[in-house]
């Protein structure tokens, strides 16, 4: 018999027909009540077994973690916590789970820390927490596509392997098939990448932006949504070596239009999660409340998870220039009392996450878009302002997260871009194609990048980015 998903069953009315469900046992109480979960929803289906009618050997195999199929009639539940349950007539053990071995894993029914769950990332998806996070992640990914498709953007697949460093920061993973023990050398004694697979140095992409710009110059509005890679040695709760980025790029958009789009986009996807992930968000909200109970009062958040999400949707993001932000930071208490690790004493300083979080969480108490940054601390492709020292860059800063979006209006003037590349030591030979865009029908254009995991962190309330991607890659860790 074809099985039905639990999410569908739980919204059905009792009916005098036999149905079949398949899932993993979460618990088996009193030899009578099986809590079955199949991943379709955070909720378990209660399956009621009249044990008198079943072989004891079969019942012994209904253990936590086992995969089973049960058939029976859907009836109104007499117990609390569910409207319907299955009165079991048939049980089939699909895959056993030895209780002795289960005991040694995170499948054992007790509280495990997130760190322990991370060590068994192949099993953690069977927990309520990770089921909820990953369903929300999936819905958010869909919402991203829906937003851009509805707004006439074209989905552009940027290459994963590239020969260029889009951010010019040199934080790339090399792609090579040369023998690491004895690579061929050139006359200068350096590794001869001409003999490598691509006949040049190549790497995993850090951003699809530059290629997206080429497509925006023909398709008008494009977006990428794919994995990006950074070999930065940042062991923080907000950095991954492999993360997913969404990068829209639009011809004829200036920085203001870019900021409008970013704000509208974020509000859309957050609302989508609120509208489509009610059960999972309720669970995650309670999880967060529990977690925060262990924290001192001052560190607990004033709003619940869903209130925070609603706040984002209902309020305008505050737009502030870098220069204004520096003034605020200079005068701020943590700066004057030397509480910041990096003190702000002059214009031009790069903002650290402690500063970003101060602006968002303490000063403005809402999402902030900082714009017009010093040219010196931003990438080469950003459009130079008339003051000659700031660029049309914007970062969106979120409470609890810090930077969630980085974007800019691009330098569309050939000469200005060329000068900038020369000054920043960016190879014009390698990026000839990028310069070409400024020769053939150049125009004002803009775009931004949103780190998908940081968005998932914000929506799920998870403190560590390693817990919102199935298999996190971080310095020293590429397990699974
Ligand atoms: O600010 P970033 O480096 O900007 C770019 O890559 C531009 N090319 C984007 C564009 O204009 N098309 O990165 C964009 C966003 C950051 O704001 C952050 O959310 C995320 O990507 N991000 C990371 N997320 C997780 N782990 C990392 N190591 C990240 N680095 C950046
Ligand atoms: Mg950035």
């Amino acid at each position: 018999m074809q099985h039905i998903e639990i999410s569908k069953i739980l919204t059905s009315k009792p009916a005098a027909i036999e149905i079949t469900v398949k899932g993993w046992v979460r618990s088996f109480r009193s030899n009578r009540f099986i809590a079955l979960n199949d991943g379709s929803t955070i909720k378990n289906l209660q399956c009621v077994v009249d044990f008198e009618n079943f072989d004891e050997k079969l019942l012994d195999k209904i253990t936590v973690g086992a995969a089973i199929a049960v058939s029976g009639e859907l009836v109104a539940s007499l117990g609390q916590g569910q409207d319907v349950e299955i009165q079991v007539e048939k049980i089939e053990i699909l895959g056993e789970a030895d209780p002795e071995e289960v005991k040694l894993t995170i499948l054992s029914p007790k509280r495990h820390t997130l760190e322990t769950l991370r060590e068994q990332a192949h099993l953690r998806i069977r927990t309520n927490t990770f089921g909820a996070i990953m369903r929300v992640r999936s819905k958010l990914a869909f919402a991203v596509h829906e937003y851009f498709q509805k707004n006439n953007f074209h989905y552009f697949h940027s290459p994963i392997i590239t020969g260029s460093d889009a951010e010019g920061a040199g934080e790339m993973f090399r792609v090579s098939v040369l023998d690491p023990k004895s690579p061929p050398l050139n006359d200068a004694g350096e590794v001869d990448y001409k003999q490598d697979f691509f006949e040049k140095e190549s790497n995993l992409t850090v951003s699809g932006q530059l290629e997206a710009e080429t497509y925006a110059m023909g398709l008008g509005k494009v977006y990428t949504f794919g994995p990006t890679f950074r070999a930065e040695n940042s062991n923080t709760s907000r950095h991954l070596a492999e993360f997913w980025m969404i990068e829209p790029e639009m011809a004829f958009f200036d920085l203001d239009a870019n900021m409008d789009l970013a704000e509208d986009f974020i509000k859309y996807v957050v609302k989508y999660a609120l509208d489509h992930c009610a059960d999972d968000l309720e669970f995650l909200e309670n999880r967060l409340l529990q977690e925060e109970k262990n924290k001192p009062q001052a560190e607990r958040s004033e709003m619940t998870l869903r209130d925070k999400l609603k706040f984002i949707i209902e309020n305008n993001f505050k737009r502030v220039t870098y220069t204004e932000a520096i003034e605020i930071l200079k005068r701020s208490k943590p700066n004057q009392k030397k509480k910041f690790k990096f003190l702000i004493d002059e214009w031009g300083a790069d903002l650290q996450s402690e500063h970003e979080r101060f602006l968002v969480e303490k000063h403005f108490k809402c999402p902030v878009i900082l714009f017009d940054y010093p040219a010196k601390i931003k990438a080469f492709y950003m459009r130079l302002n008339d003051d000659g020292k700031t660029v049309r860059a914007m970062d969106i800063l979120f409470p609890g997260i810090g930077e969630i979006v980085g974007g800019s209006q691009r330098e569309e003037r050939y000469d200005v871009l060329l000068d900038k590349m020369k000054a920043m030591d960016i190879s014009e030979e390698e990026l000839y194609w990028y310069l070409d865009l400024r020769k053939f029908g150049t125009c004002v254009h803009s775009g931004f990048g949103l780190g998908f995991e940081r968005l998932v962190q914000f929506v799920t309330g998870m403190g560590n980015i390693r817990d919102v991607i199935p298999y996190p890659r971080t310095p020293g860790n590429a397990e699974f």
Side-chain angles (χ1 to χ4, degrees):
M1 192 194 281
Q2 212 177 353
H3 72 280
I4 307 179
E5 280 167 0
I6 290 175
S7 59
K8 279 200 188 130
I9 293 176
L10 290 178
T11 53
S12 310
K13 295 253 174 310
I17 46 162
E18 192 185 73
I19 55 169
T20 299
V21 289
K22 295 179 179 178
W24 294 272
V25 176
R26 284 291 175 83
S27 68
F28 187 25
R29 268 190 308 125
S30 318
N31 230 10
R32 186 177 286 282
F33 303 107
I34 306 171
L36 199 65
N37 190 282
D38 69 356
S40 61
T41 159
I42 190 148
K43 293 185 176 150
N44 299 328
L45 177 66
Q46 172 148 287
C47 311
V48 183
V49 184
D50 288 335
F51 56 82
E52 303 84 355
N53 305 337
F54 288 88
D55 180 16
E56 215 167 291
K57 283 214 186 82
L58 178 86
L59 295 179
D60 283 347
K61 291 181 180 163
I62 305 175
T63 57
V64 172
I68 65 171
V70 304
S71 304
E73 222 171 79
L74 191 66
V75 297
S77 176
L78 300 177
Q80 279 186 341
Q82 65 272 322
D83 297 333
V84 290
E85 60 193 21
I86 285 207
Q87 183 60 47
V88 179
E89 277 139 37
K90 214 169 79 202
I91 302 172
E92 192 186 340
I93 309 292
L94 304 174
E96 295 177 28
D98 179 351
E100 288 307 309
E101 286 193 55
V102 163
K103 243 192 243 168
L104 306 173
T105 72
I106 56 157
L107 295 178
S108 59
K110 59 170 187 194
R111 285 216 166 272
H112 303 281
T113 65
L114 290 168
E115 287 78 13
T116 312
L117 296 178
R118 241 169 260 153
E119 283 161 15
Q120 295 177 39
H122 61 306
L123 297 177
R124 66 179 179 170
I125 192 57
R126 308 247 201 126
T127 64
N128 280 334
T129 300
F130 282 86
I133 296 166
M134 294 308 163
R135 275 186 298 270
V136 172
R137 183 181 167 109
S138 168
K139 284 282 185 253
L140 281 171
F142 181 77
V144 167
H145 284 294
E146 190 175 81
Y147 177 82
F148 287 116
Q149 295 291 333
K150 272 188 181 168
N151 286 287
N152 299 324
F153 279 70
H154 306 281
Y155 184 25
F156 160 68
H157 292 105
S158 50
I160 304 286
I161 300 173
T162 75
S164 53
D165 178 0
E167 292 302 298
E171 292 168 331
M172 297 175 295
F173 288 103
R174 174 167 290 136
V175 175
S176 171
V177 295
L178 295 178
D179 180 358
K181 283 193 215 108
S182 60
L185 302 179
N186 60 21
D187 295 343
E190 297 155 345
V191 175
D192 186 8
Y193 287 104
K194 287 213 179 73
Q195 295 185 49
D196 204 343
F197 189 92
F198 297 111
E199 299 178 8
K200 63 178 287 197
E201 278 194 78
S202 53
N203 51 269
L204 296 178
T205 187
V206 294
S207 156
Q209 178 197 320
L210 304 194
E211 291 88 352
E213 281 186 54
T214 67
Y215 263 56
M217 293 298 122
L219 290 177
K221 294 195 292 189
V222 299
Y223 70 104
T224 73
F225 185 5
T228 48
F229 308 86
R230 300 210 179 163
E232 54 188 332
N233 202 2
S234 303
N235 243 317
T236 80
S237 58
R238 281 184 298 276
H239 287 89
L240 290 166
E242 176 179 303
F243 64 98
W244 286 64
M245 187 150 56
I246 296 139
E247 296 185 274
E249 191 67 37
M250 301 76 64
F252 315 117
F253 271 49
D254 64 10
L255 190 71
D256 287 325
N258 197 23
M259 292 195 270
D260 291 343
L261 178 82
E263 185 170 340
D264 190 53
F265 163 60
I266 293 176
K267 287 178 170 169
Y268 183 91
V269 294
V270 170
K271 180 164 188 325
Y272 189 93
L274 272 169
D275 291 345
H276 293 85
C277 306
D279 293 342
D280 288 321
L281 290 180
E282 184 186 350
F283 173 84
L284 290 165
E285 179 169 289
N286 289 327
R287 195 205 72 83
L288 200 58
L289 284 173
Q290 287 300 324
E291 191 181 79
E292 293 201 336
K293 273 192 186 150
N294 303 323
K295 287 187 182 168
Q297 191 74 42
E299 284 174 35
R300 295 183 203 166
S301 40
E302 290 157 25
M303 282 188 252
T304 66
L305 178 61
R306 281 175 297 181
D307 285 343
K308 281 187 222 167
L309 302 184
K310 284 185 201 129
F311 184 88
I312 295 294
I313 299 170
E314 288 161 6
N315 290 281
N316 290 336
F317 297 4
K318 180 89 187 155
R319 301 185 186 189
V320 186
T321 65
Y322 166 89
T323 304
E324 289 167 306
I326 283 291
E327 285 310 313
I328 293 167
L329 287 166
K330 259 201 232 164
R331 291 194 307 264
S332 71
K333 248 195 207 159
N335 202 54
Q336 310 235 317
K337 295 196 165 166
K338 305 210 183 326
K339 287 270 159 56
F340 281 143
K341 200 165 152 221
F342 297 90
L343 294 177
I344 299 284
D345 42 25
E346 59 183 292
W347 191 93
D350 203 354
L351 299 185
Q352 307 295 325
S353 74
E354 58 181 346
H355 309 128
E356 297 176 341
R357 294 186 64 168
F358 173 83
L359 290 170
V360 174
E361 291 160 26
K362 297 279 180 320
H363 190 82
F364 290 111
K365 295 185 193 287
C366 72
V368 173
I369 311 185
L370 285 189
F371 64 100
D372 285 352
Y373 279 82
K376 281 214 178 81
I377 58 171
K378 288 290 182 187
F380 70 95
Y381 50 70
M382 299 185 179
R383 193 183 197 280
L384 194 63
N385 279 316
D386 293 342
D387 62 12
K389 60 178 194 171
T390 60
V391 286
R392 300 248 76 192
M394 64 110 172
D395 278 5
I396 302 185
L397 315 178
F398 255 45
I401 302 290
E403 179 191 335
I404 192 164
V405 161
S408 64
Q409 185 176 321
R410 319 306 187 189
E411 185 53 77
E412 85 284 13
R413 298 162 296 183
Y414 183 88
D415 296 334
V416 182
L417 181 62
L418 190 62
D419 284 350
K420 194 85 166 288
M421 285 171 66
K422 280 184 179 146
M424 290 185 150
D425 212 16
I426 308 270
S427 163
E428 41 189 295
E429 283 80 44
E430 293 220 332
L431 287 185
Y432 72 90
W433 51 275
Y434 190 69
L435 282 159
D436 266 1
L437 300 181
R438 279 73 182 165
K439 281 199 222 159
F440 309 118
T442 192
C443 68
V444 164
H445 65 288
S446 298
F448 64 84
L450 174 133
F452 186 56
E453 283 73 22
R454 294 192 186 174
L455 173 71
V456 182
Q457 261 192 291
F458 181 73
V459 173
T460 59
M462 298 304 292
N464 195 316
I465 200 164
R466 293 167 176 80
D467 297 327
V468 299
I469 187 164
Y471 294 103
R473 271 75 180 98
T474 50
N477 181 26
E479 184 74 11
F480 306 103

